[in-house]
Amino acid sequence: MSPSGKVSLTKRQSVSLTKMSSALSKVDIGLGWDPVKSEAKGFFGKLAGSGSIDLDASCILLDANNQLLENVWFMRLKSKCRSVIHHGDNLTGEGDGDDEVITVNLNQLPANVSTLAFTVNSFRGQNFNKVANAFCRVVDSSGKELVRYNLTEQGEHTGVFIASLSRNNGDWTFKAHGTAINGRTVKDMIPQIKSELSQ
């Protein structure tokens, strides 16, 4: 743990958020990334692309048996129970800080929701060789950043199961996954996510 109390996770590590914060009634899951900068200039630089990367953050709600309850993504910004809210789609990845934020009201989540899986994928089919500085972080309702996971892997995949938030007898555990998945929509990614959570 750093002097500020914030935890930096590596792949497969997990931490109890309940033990870290007394303001855990609501959390913001911030996800961010930058486009890889093309070194080509002029005409060839334009051919290489505009330097934007359109990724979509999503949240999958699952029960204790890892069965799908519902998805929250850019086509559905609120869960039916209104406890998970997606704050909108970022089309470029430009700028500092969180590119997309998903707010979870932990106190209002239905009792049958055991795990929230957070994903990032490219609807346009851009792969993660074009993505730099991807991260996921958890901020409590006081504005304190509790956990950060920096994703280091690049590759030809179009999606990542980046992290999960699981409930066990009132204790909320955040786990860094960083699993590469080929899927352009959150629905494409669900089978592999369910498989990993069941391991």
Side-chain angles (χ1 to χ4, degrees), residues 62-68 112 114-115 194 197-198:
L62 304 117
D63 67 14
N65 297 313
N66 293 321
Q67 295 303 304
L68 175 68
N112 64 331
S114 289
T115 300
K194 289 170 65 174
L197 289 172
S198 298

Side-chain angles (χ1 to χ4, degrees), residues 66-178:
N66 293 321
Q67 295 303 304
L68 175 68
L69 297 172
E70 64 175 309
N71 303 321
V72 175
W73 58 314
F74 73 88
M75 296 290 285
R76 181 187 292 160
L77 296 177
K78 290 183 181 179
S79 61
K80 294 173 185 174
C81 59
R82 304 273 177 180
S83 55
V84 181
I85 299 172
H86 191 309
H87 293 278
D89 192 16
N90 180 312
L91 299 177
T92 67
E94 294 287 359
D96 295 329
D98 302 329
D99 289 303
E100 296 189 10
V101 177
I102 298 172
T103 297
V104 181
N105 190 323
L106 299 174
N107 291 347
Q108 290 184 7
L109 271 176
N112 64 331
V113 178
S114 289
T115 300
L116 304 169
F118 299 95
T119 68
V120 181
N121 62 276
S122 172
F123 184 74
R124 296 181 186 175
Q126 294 170 295
N127 66 48
F128 274 73
N129 282 326
K130 298 180 172 67
V131 179
N133 307 319
F135 68 87
C136 177
R137 70 189 190 116
V138 181
V139 179
D140 70 12
S141 55
S142 74
K144 176 185 175 185
E145 180 178 318
L146 303 177
V147 185
R148 178 178 288 256
Y149 169 45
N150 293 316
L151 190 72
T152 56
E153 298 96 332
Q154 292 182 299
E156 297 290 334
H157 52 281
T158 54
V160 174
F161 172 24
I162 194 162
S164 63
L165 185 58
S166 300
R167 170 164 50 187
N168 185 16
N169 295 322
D171 183 71
W172 286 100
T173 299
F174 182 83
K175 182 175 181 179
H177 290 271

